[in-house]
Amino acid sequence: MNRWFIVSAVVVVLDQLSKSWAEASLVLLEPVPVIAGLNWTLAYNPGAAFSFLADAGGWQRWLFTGIALVVSAVLIVWLQRLDRSDRLTGASLSLLLGGAIGNLIDRALRDHGMVVDFIDLYYGRYHWPAFNVADMAI
């Protein structure tokens, strides 16, 4: 097995475990302070990055699912053909693949069809959009 697929698998497992924890432990949109500048806040994103197309009515779930499937297939082929000595590209592509699959699982397999977000970074009153482990890998 290609070592880069192991990295991708670790990202997927960490992502899904952390999302399961967030859904089991947090109340929707109620922040739990962790340290200054960081809350755990459960949120669901039906859109893409920065809630792009979040209010599109539901069809975007399948658009983003399709895009993630195509991108994942391309990344798998790329990783298989990659020279073993190209570590930086391999690490980068494997993180992208793990992140894409992590969010794909949310869209395609979770009942609600939305990506689970829970990491809430902020400075003063200004909040970065909530995100998750898959997003960090991407």
Side-chain angles (χ1 to χ4, degrees), residues 20 29 32 34 47 50-52 54 67 79-80 83 99 110 119 122 126 129-131 135:
S20 292
L29 301 178
V32 175
V34 179
F50 306 106
S51 296
F52 176 68
I67 290 170
L79 281 166
Q80 287 175 328
D83 187 275
R110 290 188 186 258
I119 302 168
Y122 65 93
Y126 302 99
F131 58 98
D135 295 336

Side-chain angles (χ1 to χ4, degrees), residues 5-15 133:
F5 294 133
I6 295 169
V7 173
S8 297
V10 168
V11 169
V12 172
V13 168
L14 291 174
D15 177 62
V133 172

Side-chain angles (χ1 to χ4, degrees), residues 4 7-16 19 64 68 71-72 75 91-107 115-116 132-138:
W4 299 120
V7 173
S8 297
V10 168
V11 169
V12 172
V13 168
L14 291 174
D15 177 62
Q16 291 301 304
K19 289 173 179 174
F64 295 135
V71 167
S72 295
L75 290 171
S92 301
L93 295 176
S94 65
L95 290 172
L96 285 170
L97 178 61
I101 291 172
N103 284 337
L104 171 64
I105 289 169
D106 288 7
R107 290 189 198 288
V115 173
V116 177
N132 57 49
V133 172
D135 295 336
M136 289 190 305
I138 291 169

